[in-house]
Amino acid sequence: MSTTVQSVAFGAEPQLVLLPVPASVESWWLTAVALGGQGRYAQARAALDVVDRRTAGQVTDHERTFASLAASTRASFRRQTGWHAQAALDDGRALAIVAGLDPSPSVDAAACDALTGLAADALGVGRLPLGWRLLAECGERIGEGLWRQSIRLEWVSAELALASGDFTRALRHADNAVELSGDCGSVRHKVKSDLLRCAAMTGFDANEAAQRARAVFDQCMEFGLLPLAWASSMLIEGVSGVATTPNSSVLDTVIALRGGVFRSPS
């Protein structure tokens, strides 16, 4: 496993674009995660295609775990561009792949990724009670050392609370995510946690939320995290009415050129 790919996917260098050629199933998956964080969706999906081919048959627990991770990662790309119903199919497959395997940190991590993904998918189609049930099941499986899954649980909890108009609960979960991400070493996780806190703050002080979101937007641009930059821009423009530079429309176009097709609101 390349430490450089690890650093881009889940570390301090998410902006790096010259990645080494992957040599293992794990490094192909990490490459997909790294590229997805930059909004390079077409390249990221191609990397996941390799993981799918190399785990075809899913004989060992190791292969099934990465087949599951690839499915839930593909789902996250769909969800980030608004295709929640389609994402649920991939997340459901991700959970089914590891169903019945003996519990282990890697199996539990994959299952939690699928469960939080399914909860976010449920949110996207307006099924909030289902989302909370899925998060409760995820919480029962999170064990020691699953820092990424713990942060994701707080993210989706905050999003579900926001969708129900409970800004106090949303802010509590967002603050938890910020605290958990503070020592994890992943710039992307810290930035997204900060962004969710800004979203939760709109229920209390919209001006301050927009100001803080601008700092988040600047970090997103600095580290090449275009999907999060787009989300930050949308929040800022929606709350303050003042466009970012580049604005959300420009970022939408750039991401589309990289293979991310946003679903039009129905």
Side-chain angles (χ1 to χ4, degrees):
M1 179 180 65
S2 169
T3 55
T4 298
V5 176
Q6 176 76 35
S7 182
V8 179
F10 299 126
E13 301 174 295
Q15 76 280 10
L16 297 184
V17 295
L18 296 178
L19 303 178
V21 176
S24 66
V25 167
E26 183 176 7
S27 59
W28 274 108
W29 173 67
L30 286 169
T31 297
V33 173
L35 292 167
Q38 298 170 358
R40 301 178 188 278
Y41 290 116
Q43 292 172 284
R45 289 192 297 267
L48 291 178
D49 289 343
V50 177
V51 177
D52 289 345
R53 290 195 295 271
R54 293 195 176 190
T55 58
Q58 307 164 10
V59 176
T60 68
D61 286 7
H62 178 80
E63 289 171 333
R64 289 178 67 175
T65 296
F66 278 101
S68 174
L69 289 170
S72 59
T73 301
R74 194 182 297 275
S76 73
F77 297 160
R78 296 189 195 277
R79 192 165 52 249
Q80 287 163 21
T81 49
W83 301 92
H84 293 81
Q86 290 86 341
L89 299 176
D90 287 318
D91 280 319
R93 185 165 62 88
L95 187 59
I97 288 171
V98 292
L101 295 184
D102 291 334
S104 71
S106 59
V107 169
D108 287 341
C112 286
D113 275 3
L115 286 165
T116 51
L118 282 167
D121 300 332
L123 164 62
V125 296
R127 302 183 66 187
L128 304 190
L130 174 60
W132 286 117
R133 290 197 297 272
L134 290 162
L135 291 186
E137 184 176 348
C138 175
E140 294 174 358
R141 297 198 64 154
I142 290 182
E144 187 78 22
L146 298 186
W147 64 268
R148 187 170 60 79
Q149 287 72 24
S150 297
I151 294 171
R152 282 169 55 90
L153 179 60
E154 298 294 346
W155 284 350
V156 184
S157 296
E159 291 167 349
L160 281 168
L162 282 171
S164 64
D166 190 343
F167 290 94
T168 298
R169 187 176 189 181
L171 185 57
R172 183 171 69 250
H173 285 296
D175 282 342
N176 289 343
V178 169
E179 182 177 356
L180 288 169
S181 65
D183 297 324
C184 73
S186 172
V187 170
R188 181 165 56 85
H189 284 74
K190 185 178 186 308
V191 167
K192 182 169 179 178
S193 298
D194 288 339
L195 176 59
L196 270 173
R197 180 161 62 180
C198 292
M201 287 178 60
T202 61
F204 302 97
D205 189 331
N207 289 333
E208 184 179 357
Q211 290 176 3
R212 292 196 181 195
R214 285 191 175 277
V216 173
F217 174 80
D218 290 342
Q219 279 191 303
C220 292
M221 295 303 298
E222 176 186 354
F223 287 102
L225 300 170
L226 290 199
L228 288 175
W230 174 82
S232 302
S233 179
M234 290 289 287
L235 188 152
I236 293 165
E237 293 170 4
V239 171
S240 70
V242 180
T244 58
T245 304
N247 62 32
S248 60
S249 179
V250 171
L251 291 167
D252 185 310
T253 299
V254 173
I255 292 171
L257 291 171
R258 295 180 176 186
V261 180
F262 287 94
R263 181 175 178 267
S264 299
S266 56

